[in-house]
């Protein structure tokens, strides 16, 4: 770690963050990064000199444990402590992500209208101008190189590049599995199959494409271009998302090929962060048709694998109302299999999604608890169940009540359960 002061800037290179993801209530950084401190803000940069985090130092900053993150698609996420409303019990994290784009967020937080947050984002523009005017000739070469790198990655340049990752993988990632929260949404995405099986009526994130596997050649090209895109900062990644909405429905050979090829090509064994994870979406049909020998092979991958399945409901009337073309019998079968997989395999966690809405048939919650009673006779530590709140713009009272309704369910569920906020890359 090397630090210098120039004008009113305190610049530190090669800072070391934590080597493993952790659930903490303060702003913990991971991997390696650089930092520029001004009297009012702390700006943190990835190994390409691209801005990643801003936090305020002044008394107007909303909370010392809150910060802004710039995602690789150039969106802002504000990490709020969530007040006294128990963010961990709701979301499994000690913060509430406030997104700068539309989602099913149930929180009322809107930091993007807070003056301190607005000026932090503007301060980054100003920092860039300050660096342009800086006489850095007296600084050591590595410090000058870093400043040059930050200047190349100006706010305008990063804005221009915001869609590049989608060009590489050939589609937008409109939603990531909720399990990606375990790595703070820092995943390298590779699409191995487009589309999904059901095209459900209620779904706001579905792809326009029909389910179709990509070729190995296409996957290799994505990996090659992603390596270039992530550049030096790839060493700060330890996790991969195999998209799109139902990668488990692909032939297992393709899943294994993509996972192993990515692991080797991105050199995840030597990542600055330990504990590589693989994230996949699956479906009721794809889990039913996957033989146990497939999970034996997934267990042997050099990752901990999270597979998230959209069950939505175990009640036929609700499934029909949601426009999800599956039967309740298939949901029951797939759920029982997912519980069995969670018991058999240490390195695989199947998680499930169910909807939570104010206008759903009575049978929805009843059938959910019948499913739970049938599959659990005691608490189990994995296999999280997520509830996706269906936001009803006409019923604002419901939005205010979601957490309360969720807690009424949570206390009766013998596995970890959380609310699912739709978050993209
Ligand atoms: S909920 Fe899943 S399966 Fe249904 S349309 Fe959306 S992405 Fe496809």
């Amino acid at each position: 770690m090397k630090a210098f002061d120039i004008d009113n800037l305190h610049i530190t290179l090669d800072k070391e963050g934590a080597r493993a993801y952790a659930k903490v209530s303060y702003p913990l950084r991971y991997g390696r990064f650089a930092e520029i401190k001004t009297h009012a803000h702390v700006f943190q940069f990835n190994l390409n000199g691209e801005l990643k985090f801003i936090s305020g130092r002044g008394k107007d900053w909303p909370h010392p444990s809150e910060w802004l993150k710039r995602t690789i698609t150039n969106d802002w996420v504000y990490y709020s402590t969530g007040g006294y409303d128990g963010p961990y019990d709701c979301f499994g994290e000690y913060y509430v992500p406030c997104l700068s784009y539309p989602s099913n967020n149930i929180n009322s937080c809107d930091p993007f209208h807070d003056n301190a947050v607005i000026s932090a984002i503007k301060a980054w523009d100003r920092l860039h101008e300050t660096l342009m005017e800086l006489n850095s000739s007296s600084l050591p070469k590595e410090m000058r190189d870093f400043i040059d790198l930050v200047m190349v990655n100006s706010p305008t340049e990063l804005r221009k590049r915001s869609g590049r990752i989608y060009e590489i993988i050939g589609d937008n990632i409109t939603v990531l599995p909720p399990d990606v929260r375990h790595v703070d949404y820092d995943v390298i995405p590779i699409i191995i199959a487009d589309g999904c099986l059901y095209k459900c009526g209620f779904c706001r994130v579905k792809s326009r494409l029909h389910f179709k596997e990509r070729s190995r050649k296409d996957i290799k090209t994505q990996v090659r271009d992603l390596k270039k895109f992530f550049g030096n900062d790839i060493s700060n990644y330890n996790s991969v998302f195999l998209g799109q909405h139902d990668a488990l429905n692909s032939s297992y050979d393709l899943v294994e090929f993509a996972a192993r090829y990515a692991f080797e090509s991105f050199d995840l064994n030597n990542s600055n962060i330990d504990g590589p994870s693989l994230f996949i979406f699956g479906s009721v049909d794809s889990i039913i048709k996957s033989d146990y020998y497939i999970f034996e092979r997934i267990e042997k991958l050099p990752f901990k694998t999270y597979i998230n399945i959209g069950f939505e409901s175990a009640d036929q009337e609700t499934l029909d109302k949601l426009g999800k073309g599956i039967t309740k019998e298939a949901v029951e079968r797939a759920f029982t299999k997912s519980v069995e997989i969670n018991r058999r395999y240490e390195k695989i966690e199947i998680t499930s999604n169910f909807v939570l809405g104010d206008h759903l048939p009575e049978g929805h919650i009843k059938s959910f608890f019948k499913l739970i009673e049938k599959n659990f006779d005691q608490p189990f530590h994995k296999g999280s169940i997520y509830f996706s709140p269906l936001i009803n713009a006409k019923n604002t009272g419901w939005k205010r009540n979601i957490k309360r309704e969720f807690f009424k369910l949570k206390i009766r569920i013998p596995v970890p359960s959380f609310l699912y906020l739709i978050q993209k890359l």
Side-chain angles (χ1 to χ4, degrees):
M1 190 166 90
K2 291 185 179 136
F4 287 86
D5 288 298
I6 180 163
D7 290 355
N8 288 321
L9 308 177
H10 180 73
I11 306 179
T12 314
L13 300 188
D14 208 18
K15 287 195 82 158
E16 269 187 67
R19 277 206 69 96
Y21 287 102
K23 310 280 178 210
V24 291
S25 59
Y26 53 90
L28 182 63
R29 302 290 172 243
Y30 303 99
R32 288 175 177 265
F33 59 98
E35 184 177 273
I36 302 181
K37 259 188 202 168
T38 67
H39 70 284
H41 299 102
V42 181
F43 300 90
Q44 289 166 328
F45 299 84
N46 70 17
L47 296 177
N48 299 328
E50 297 157 340
L51 179 81
K52 188 152 179 182
F53 299 107
I54 311 178
S55 46
R57 307 180 74 195
K59 61 178 178 356
D60 57 341
W61 187 249
H63 192 287
S65 290
E66 297 186 348
W67 66 98
L68 270 167
K69 177 179 180 180
R70 193 191 67 86
T71 68
I72 50 164
T73 53
N74 210 45
D75 287 312
W76 292 107
V77 179
Y78 185 83
Y79 287 66
S80 161
T81 54
Y84 297 99
D85 222 1
Y88 187 85
D89 286 339
C90 281
F91 307 109
E93 303 296 326
Y94 287 101
Y95 59 82
V96 178
C98 304
L99 310 173
S100 56
Y101 50 86
S103 169
N104 64 342
N105 207 340
I106 56 160
N107 294 294
S108 48
C109 64
D110 183 12
F112 301 100
H113 285 97
D114 183 299
N115 283 341
V117 176
I118 295 168
S119 38
I121 296 172
K122 284 190 185 151
W124 177 36
D125 276 294
R126 279 202 309 281
L127 175 72
H128 199 257
E129 286 158 22
T130 309
L131 293 177
M132 301 267 275
E133 287 157 12
L134 203 67
N135 180 1
S136 57
S137 54
S138 62
L139 291 176
K141 181 171 178 321
E142 54 185 322
M143 205 54 89
R144 289 200 312 269
D145 288 348
F146 166 69
I147 291 171
D148 287 347
L149 212 51
V150 173
M151 286 201 293
V152 170
N153 292 300
S154 66
T156 316
E157 187 53 36
L158 292 181
R159 239 185 327 269
K160 264 198 238 160
R161 252 186 271 152
S162 62
R164 175 67 189 131
I165 193 159
Y166 292 146
E167 287 167 19
I168 293 172
I169 60 177
D171 200 5
N172 285 4
I173 303 281
T174 49
V175 63
L176 285 166
D179 314 300
V180 176
R181 66 188 173 83
H182 296 308
V183 299
D184 198 20
Y185 283 79
D186 283 334
V187 279
I188 305 175
I190 301 169
I191 297 188
I192 68 165
D194 292 294
C196 67
L197 296 181
Y198 310 124
K199 302 268 181 266
C200 314
F202 80 101
C203 176
R204 294 164 45 174
V205 295
K206 60 182 164 272
S207 156
R208 63 198 146 58
L209 303 167
H210 290 292
F211 183 86
K212 188 164 183 268
E213 284 184 10
R214 299 269 185 103
S215 65
R216 290 188 181 209
K217 188 168 165 236
D218 179 280
I219 292 167
K220 282 185 175 178
T221 307
Q222 289 182 61
V223 168
R224 182 199 65 201
D225 294 348
L226 286 164
K227 251 179 104 171
K228 209 162 147 202
F229 174 85
F230 283 94
N232 288 337
D233 200 49
I234 206 154
S235 59
N236 280 332
Y237 283 78
N238 74 351
S239 298
V240 171
F241 165 60
L242 294 184
Q244 189 69 299
H245 299 298
D246 195 354
L248 188 65
N249 196 50
S250 313
S251 69
Y252 180 68
D253 285 348
L254 193 70
V255 175
E256 182 167 30
F257 163 76
R260 290 196 184 276
Y261 188 71
F263 188 85
E264 293 301 322
S265 308
F266 300 146
D267 197 17
L268 297 186
N269 211 21
N270 291 310
S271 164
N272 294 331
I273 307 172
D274 300 332
S277 300
L278 183 69
F279 299 95
I280 298 176
F281 276 122
S283 66
V284 165
D285 280 279
S286 63
I287 196 163
I288 288 175
K289 78 165 197 202
S290 300
D291 286 326
Y292 278 98
Y293 81 86
I294 288 177
F295 296 101
E296 304 283 344
R297 285 169 67 184
I298 293 179
E299 177 80 347
K300 292 195 180 102
L301 290 176
F303 293 98
K304 168 149 190 199
T305 303
Y306 294 87
I307 305 172
N308 179 252
I309 312 283
F311 293 99
E312 323 310 351
S313 181
D315 171 54
Q316 195 61 54
E317 197 189 342
T318 308
L319 289 168
D320 295 343
K321 188 165 181 182
L322 294 171
K324 184 141 193 150
I326 50 176
T327 62
K328 77 177 178 57
E329 288 77 17
V331 168
E332 286 165 6
R333 213 173 133 203
F335 188 82
T336 300
K337 188 165 179 185
S338 74
V339 172
E340 178 58 25
I341 292 163
N342 283 332
R343 288 194 176 125
R344 275 197 206 185
Y345 305 102
E346 203 181 312
K347 284 173 64 201
I348 303 175
E349 179 163 356
I350 313 273
T351 64
S352 10
N353 300 339
F354 287 83
V355 291
L356 183 62
D358 63 329
H359 56 294
L360 297 175
E362 260 185 38
H364 175 53
I365 297 298
K366 276 193 193 151
S367 61
F368 172 77
F369 280 110
K370 259 171 93 177
L371 194 65
I372 294 294
E373 277 157 28
K374 195 174 145 209
N375 285 283
F376 298 98
D377 49 17
Q378 59 185 46
F380 195 59
H381 65 284
K382 77 189 212 319
S384 295
I385 295 177
Y386 293 92
F387 287 91
S388 309
L390 300 175
I391 302 297
N392 181 354
K394 288 187 201 137
N395 186 352
T396 47
W398 158 244
K399 191 172 168 183
R400 274 196 305 274
N401 264 334
I402 289 174
K403 282 187 191 167
R404 198 181 160 77
E405 292 303 312
F406 164 67
F407 280 118
K408 282 201 235 162
L409 306 180
K410 184 179 173 96
I411 54 170
R412 296 174 58 195
I413 301 173
V415 290
S417 60
F418 305 103
L419 287 169
Y420 181 4
L421 298 184
I422 292 174
Q423 206 164 332
K424 56 184 187 160
L425 194 60

